[in-house]
Amino acid sequence: KQHAWREPISKGGHHNLTMKTALLLSTLSSAAAFAPSSTGRAASSLSAEKSQSIPFLPSPPNLEGYVGNVGFDPLGISNYFPMDYLREAELKHGRMCQLAWLGYVAVDIGLRLPGYPEAMTGATSATAHDAAVEFGALGNIFVWIAFAEMTSWIGISQMLQGSGRDAGDFGLGKQFLKGKSEAQINEMKLKELTHCRAAMLAFSGVVTQSVLYDKGFPYF
């Protein structure tokens, strides 16, 4: 027995109901596409290991396995360049800064090598650039540095092509590693890397302070 309130749906009403149902399902499916998945990328990023040096950032995966890794790569440079090349650059700049800091301070405390040009005797480390340009020595320095750069690139290029060469290895001092275990060798590598990083900061600081205060060593 048909109740009075149950009226048959007209053809137009049936069409409107179908359209509304389709729109509702479409909206739900679109929302589901943007909903976080419990087993997807969002979950894995939350559980990712955090950086030791920058705890609010994830640990860069490309740094894993390298001596001295503390997870410091806030710009994600290791995602775009080979890690061996980046480690080569770090060691190179660090070694140069160790020599540069020593040379910078040595000049400012009055030390001079035999045969040092008299025209540059009054120059400090901060003013040596202009004095070297006037004397003509800076061109020679540029040529020798360019020669060293081109020579070192042979080893770097071979390393990037899979020769097995360690980053920064030019065969100097390897005799001191003979008979040592891998842990001892890695400890020596870490010591050098630590000194390199400290030297880069130290050289930046000594140059900045000597220019700002315009005084000789100790630059204040």
Side-chain angles (χ1 to χ4, degrees):
K1 189 175 181 179
Q2 188 176 2
H3 294 283
W5 52 266
R6 181 180 291 179
E7 298 179 357
I9 301 175
S10 64
K11 185 176 181 181
H14 180 75
H15 177 72
N16 290 336
L17 179 61
T18 304
M19 290 295 296
K20 290 179 181 179
T21 304
L23 288 173
L24 179 60
L25 292 175
S26 176
T27 303
L28 291 175
S29 63
S30 299
F34 291 97
S37 172
S38 60
T39 59
R41 187 174 179 180
S44 62
S45 64
L46 291 175
S47 62
E49 184 180 354
K50 296 299 182 181
S51 167
Q52 180 182 346
S53 57
I54 313 177
F56 55 86
L57 291 179
S59 180
N62 294 329
L63 272 61
E64 294 296 328
Y66 283 84
V67 174
N69 173 32
V70 292
F72 185 82
D73 187 16
L75 300 180
I77 298 176
S78 60
N79 295 327
Y80 304 100
F81 296 94
M83 263 305 300
D84 285 340
Y85 182 80
L86 296 177
R87 176 49 57 89
E88 181 87 24
E90 183 178 24
L91 287 169
K92 180 178 181 178
H93 284 83
R95 291 165 177 173
M96 291 175 63
C97 282
Q98 290 180 75
L99 294 173
W101 187 93
L102 181 62
Y104 202 97
V105 173
V107 169
D108 285 345
I109 62 177
L111 296 180
R112 299 290 187 272
L113 293 174
Y116 194 79
E118 293 184 6
M120 295 179 58
T121 53
T124 65
S125 292
T127 62
H129 175 273
D130 293 344
V133 170
E134 185 177 353
F135 182 74
L138 205 62
N140 290 330
I141 296 174
F142 175 79
V143 170
W144 286 107
I145 291 178
F147 179 76
E149 288 286 342
M150 289 185 292
T151 304
S152 65
W153 177 250
I154 298 175
I156 298 173
S157 177
Q158 292 175 347
M159 174 188 68
L160 296 177
Q161 295 176 29
S163 67
R165 170 186 177 271
D166 290 333
D169 183 9
F170 290 98
L172 299 175
K174 297 187 73 172
Q175 66 273 16
F176 299 107
L177 301 179
K178 290 182 178 180
K180 294 185 180 296
S181 64
E182 183 178 357
Q184 291 174 319
I185 293 175
N186 287 338
E187 183 181 0
M188 296 295 292
K189 290 181 178 180
L190 180 60
K191 289 179 179 179
E192 181 187 22
L193 194 61
T194 302
H195 283 84
C196 285
R197 292 170 175 173
M200 286 187 275
L201 294 174
F203 183 67
S204 300
V206 77
V207 171
T208 302
Q209 188 160 324
S210 69
V211 172
L212 288 179
Y213 288 90
D214 195 22
K215 293 182 179 180
F217 185 81
Y219 310 113
F220 59 82

